[in-house]
């Protein structure tokens, strides 16, 4: 009888331990699930602040060196103008890096230093940011490299659509042109530029210290053969972006 009681007692003890372990594992799973839920429900990254002197501003975009090399975008007017109003000014900036546009920092508020050394608010965002001319870095891969060997070989560019070329901008001409040269720096041809997007023009200003870089183009009409033979002007295009790669 005593043996039976001992066996029952031992069995009950084992069951208690099993239930305690199961309860502990279940409790740990609940804790981990709760943590995962908290991480998923975590609020978006808090607004980031930068301060410094604006180097370049144009349209919706401006460049502030202290902002880690990102392009800052503004939706709405800065007092009575666009981002060019900030060029050369000392500012304090609050905003957020955008996950869907990895190179863009959205400006939410801007304070500008006045002649007295005090900062005053010149911009507060009240609209969603819309960047129709923004070209995502990943989207650049769709622009195939265009290689031109002769102004007479229009088959080298016709029907290509979106392309990128390595050349030198000539903004002092009317209209502006991109000069293309071969490996020996001999002129191959010129591309007539009909339009710059604000984003492209902004980058042209950022790259002003570089002699040559990449231009991302939408090809348009081919220049008449007779004119092409004399002027080496190949075709018309719009510049949608330019950069070092």
């Amino acid at each position: 009888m005593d043996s039976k009681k001992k066996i029952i007692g031992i069995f009950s003890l084992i069951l208690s331990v099993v239930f305690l372990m199961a309860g502990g594992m279940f409790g740990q799973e609940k804790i981990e699930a709760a943590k995962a839920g908290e991480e998923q429900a975590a609020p978006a990254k808090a607004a980031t602040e930068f301060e410094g002197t604006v180097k370049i501003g144009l349209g919706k975009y401006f460049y502030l060196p202290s902002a880690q090399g990102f392009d800052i975008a503004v939706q709405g007017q800065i007092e009575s103008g666009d981002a060019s109003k900030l060029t050369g000014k000392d500012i304090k900036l609050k905003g957020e890096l955008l996950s869907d546009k990895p190179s863009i920092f959205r400006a939410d508020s801007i304070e500008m230093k006045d002649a007295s050394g005090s900062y005053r608010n010149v911009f507060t965002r009240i609209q969603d940011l819309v960047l129709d001319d923004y070209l995502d870095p990943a989207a650049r891969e769709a622009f195939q490299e265009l290689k031109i060997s002769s102004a007479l070989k229009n088959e080298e560019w016709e029907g290509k659509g979106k392309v990128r070329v390595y050349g030198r901008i000539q903004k002092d001409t009317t209209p502006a042109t991109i000069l293309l040269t071969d490996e020996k720096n001999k002129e191959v041809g010129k591309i007539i530029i009909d339009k710059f997007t604000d984003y492209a023009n902004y980058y042209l200003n950022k790259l002003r210290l570089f002699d040559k870089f990449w231009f991302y183009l939408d090809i348009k009409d081919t220049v008449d053969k007779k004119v092409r033979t004399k002027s080496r002007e190949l075709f018309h295009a719009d510049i949608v972006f330019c950069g070092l790669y």
Side-chain angles (χ1 to χ4, degrees), residues 163-183:
V163 301
R164 63 188 180 102
V165 298
Y166 190 71
R168 181 185 299 110
I169 190 73
Q170 297 179 307
K171 293 187 75 172
D172 54 341
T173 61
T174 304
T177 58
I178 297 172
L179 177 65
L180 305 179
T181 55
D182 60 18
E183 295 178 353

Side-chain angles (χ1 to χ4, degrees), residues 51-52 54 62 64 86 89-93 110-111 119:
E51 184 175 348
V54 175
F62 67 91
L64 186 68
L86 299 175
K89 304 295 185 181
D90 294 328
I91 68 165
K92 290 182 179 180
L93 167 72
I110 300 171
E111 294 181 344
Y119 284 88

